[in-house]
Amino acid sequence: MFSSFSKLIVLAISALGANAAAGTLQQQTDNWGSNPTNVSFYYYKPTNVGASPALIVAMHYCTGTAQAYFSGTQYATLADEHGYIVIYPSAPDSGGCWDVHTNATLTHNGGGDSLAIANMVRYAIGNWNVDSSRVFMTGTSSGAMMTNVLAGAYPDLFKAGAAFAGVPYGCFAGDGLWNSQCAEGEITKTPQEWGDLARSGYPGYTGARPKLQLWHGTADTTLYYNNFNEAIKQWTNVLGYTQTPVATVENSPLSGWTRYTYGPSFQAISAEGVDHNIPVQENDVLAWFGITSATTTATTSIPSTITASVTATSTTTNAGATQAQWGQCGGIGWTGATACQSPYTCKSINDYYSQCL
């Protein structure tokens, strides 16, 4: 049954940097809410955790565990520097894969693995004083699929997400854990169809949607590259953007990788020649979340010196207008207002996005 899942050993130990976090991974065993599928709740709190910290939910790949993603990525190490908390859920499935296919997990408060993860977030907000406006999610492969699931089913809980080598929300829907048609990139829908599918995760929800960042290698033969294209259709529709990027940055953050920005809430990064074993770009993710003020190129096992060339649609700005709080006020290709309404100021989040804060 799990022969297909064996291909999803996404981040081999050799491709992951050793985690030099000062503390250790802890397990939450007290009652923290409904957990219908018996997902395990692990977390990392740095010694310098802030009074009202941000929270990142970091989800492992198939065959992985919370411990593997803790030790194999730099999120805990960077938490020591920036004072946020990381939750590392551990999938209950014997193959280490997340439930991203059942109607329960795809539905807000419907059950499945996604409900357990949502309840971990709710527990952290209620008991650890986590800032509910700074809750983020990220994952690789099966964890990236769950990132997309949570974006559809729990948009009320998450401010932003970053998915490395995943598939669109609902693409794996069906009776079995593995969906070969989706995995091989054979499921194609219109942007409206994909968008409607994502919106069905939380019927009637009209609030803000999490900003999303997608990463995918062009040579991925486990979750084929067409899933990247289909996910772009889905989230541009949900977020109200066209499928034409407003800015394209080549060699960003690594040589041969191309960053497409569709608007302040959506980016898609294509990694030329990279297979399913796509290196996690933790520092870039933190910048996307707004935890750090600028993108850096430090990454697990990848050289950090990259020169980016920029192709933007325009650099003309509307100098007479002002943006409200949270609005975009600058960045590569930005053509709108660059001044903020009082008392807010325009702060650079990264090279391609500044925000009124």
Side-chain angles (χ1 to χ4, degrees):
M1 178 178 180
F2 296 108
S3 58
S4 295
F5 294 145
S6 64
K7 298 188 296 181
L8 289 178
I9 305 174
V10 182
L11 294 177
I13 298 302
S14 61
L16 290 172
N19 193 316
T24 58
L25 191 65
Q26 305 292 319
Q27 184 173 11
Q28 182 65 39
T29 56
D30 296 340
N31 181 23
W32 44 267
S34 177
N35 184 16
T37 55
N38 200 31
V39 177
S40 297
F41 182 172
Y42 293 89
Y43 64 91
Y44 180 76
K45 285 186 181 179
T47 57
N48 66 329
V49 65
S52 186
L55 175 70
I56 296 176
V57 178
M59 293 164 285
H60 63 74
Y61 42 89
C62 275
T63 77
T65 62
Q67 293 84 351
Y69 215 53
F70 166 74
S71 62
T73 57
Q74 297 180 34
Y75 293 116
T77 305
L78 293 166
D80 289 333
E81 180 180 352
H82 299 291
Y84 58 82
I85 298 172
V86 191
I87 287 178
Y88 296 91
S90 204
D93 175 68
S94 60
C97 298
W98 294 104
D99 168 19
V100 294
H101 71 284
T102 67
N103 185 61
T105 203
L106 291 168
T107 304
H108 184 79
N109 289 339
D113 293 353
S114 68
L115 176 60
I117 295 170
N119 283 335
M120 293 177 193
V121 170
R122 292 163 176 157
Y123 179 89
I125 293 171
N127 294 273
W128 298 341
N129 201 37
V130 162
D131 184 346
S132 62
S133 69
R134 295 197 298 151
V135 176
F136 312 106
M137 56 187 167
T138 188
T140 299
S141 190
S142 185
M145 295 190 225
M146 181 56 80
T147 299
N148 281 275
V149 167
L150 293 170
Y154 295 94
D156 56 322
L157 289 180
F158 295 94
K159 182 71 173 179
F164 288 81
V167 302
Y169 168 96
C171 190
F172 254 52
D175 295 331
L177 281 168
W178 183 257
N179 186 322
S180 295
Q181 188 179 18
C182 176
E184 295 173 11
E186 297 175 356
I187 296 180
T188 300
K189 299 179 184 293
T190 66
Q192 186 67 45
E193 289 170 336
W194 278 124
D196 288 344
L197 186 59
R199 285 182 286 268
S200 74
Y202 192 172
Y205 178 74
T206 59
R209 297 277 173 176
K211 55 188 287 191
L212 287 174
Q213 190 182 60
L214 306 181
W215 304 74
H216 218 109
T218 63
D220 192 333
T221 56
T222 300
L223 297 175
Y224 280 56
Y225 185 70
N226 189 53
N227 283 301
F228 179 68
N229 299 321
E230 296 301 303
I232 290 172
K233 291 182 187 178
Q234 182 171 68
W235 297 114
T236 51
N237 180 266
V238 169
L239 294 167
Y241 300 138
T242 69
Q243 293 182 65
T244 302
V246 297
T248 299
V249 183
E250 298 177 357
N251 301 315
S252 175
L254 304 173
S255 180
W257 296 29
T258 303
R259 185 189 307 269
Y260 302 99
T261 300
Y262 295 83
S265 294
F266 186 62
Q267 285 187 350
I269 297 92
S270 175
E272 182 66 31
V274 176
D275 61 17
H276 196 56
N277 192 44
I278 185 168
V280 176
Q281 307 298 308
E282 295 93 337
N283 284 313
D284 202 296
V285 170
L286 293 193
W288 177 247
F289 292 166
I291 291 175
T292 58
S293 60
T295 300
T296 62
T297 53
T299 177
T300 47
S301 75
I302 299 296
S304 61
T305 304
I306 299 297
T307 301
S309 60
V310 178
T311 303
T313 55
S314 175
T315 56
T316 304
T317 60
N318 184 353
T322 58
Q323 281 282 33
Q325 184 183 22
W326 311 119
Q328 185 176 4
C329 54
I332 295 169
W334 175 245
T335 60
T338 58
C340 299
Q341 296 176 5
S342 179
Y344 308 111
T345 58
C346 188
K347 295 185 178 180
S348 175
I349 303 302
N350 49 55
D351 291 341
Y352 35 83
Y353 184 53
S354 297
Q355 189 175 29
C356 290
L357 300 172

